[in-house]
Amino acid sequence: MRTILHSDMNSCYTQFKLLWKYIVTRTAKERSYYRYVNGERVKYTIHPQLGEKAPHNGHVIYSLDFDVTPHQLRHTYITNLIHAGVDPKTVQLSGRA
């Protein structure tokens, strides 16, 4: 995965949000969502299996069998930035690392 740090704090936040969405959609844990059918709100629960493709998007494969917290993801993201050669002060200023 390639990471790019922009000087704009909003783009760092946007990158983090996109990465978080990527992680959450690939987690193999039960989750619920709602849809409207004939004007009524209907709750659906999905039970993804590890290695299974998502029914709504064939590009998504449920590949994570553990919970990832935003805090863990944030530290991993920051560590990758530092390993990529980004100045630690820049990383610190970009998101209170």
Side-chain angles (χ1 to χ4, degrees):
M1 184 179 340
R2 198 177 90 177
T3 56
I4 300 171
L5 178 67
H6 298 283
S7 60
D8 181 17
M9 284 179 61
N10 288 334
S11 30
C12 279
Y13 178 69
T14 302
Q15 288 177 359
F16 184 82
K17 273 183 23 180
L18 289 173
L19 186 58
W20 181 247
K21 183 178 177 182
Y22 181 90
I23 296 291
V24 168
T25 57
R26 282 155 179 81
T27 303
K29 68 176 185 176
E30 180 181 306
R31 56 183 159 262
S32 300
Y33 64 95
Y34 295 92
R35 282 202 174 156
Y36 285 92
V37 178
N38 298 327
E40 292 185 29
R41 187 176 181 206
V42 179
K43 181 179 179 179
Y44 292 93
T45 303
I46 60 171
H47 307 277
Q49 298 295 319
L50 196 60
E52 176 182 62
K53 287 188 177 184
H56 66 281
N57 184 350
H59 296 286
V60 173
I61 297 175
Y62 300 116
S63 54
L64 298 172
D65 63 346
F66 55 90
D67 288 331
V68 178
T69 65
H71 188 75
Q72 289 171 324
L73 184 60
R74 180 173 174 258
H75 280 281
T76 302
Y77 181 73
I78 290 168
T79 302
N80 286 336
L81 288 176
I82 292 171
H83 285 304
V86 177
D87 179 41
K89 277 292 184 190
T90 305
V91 173
Q92 185 178 20
L93 293 174
S94 70
R96 300 182 308 264

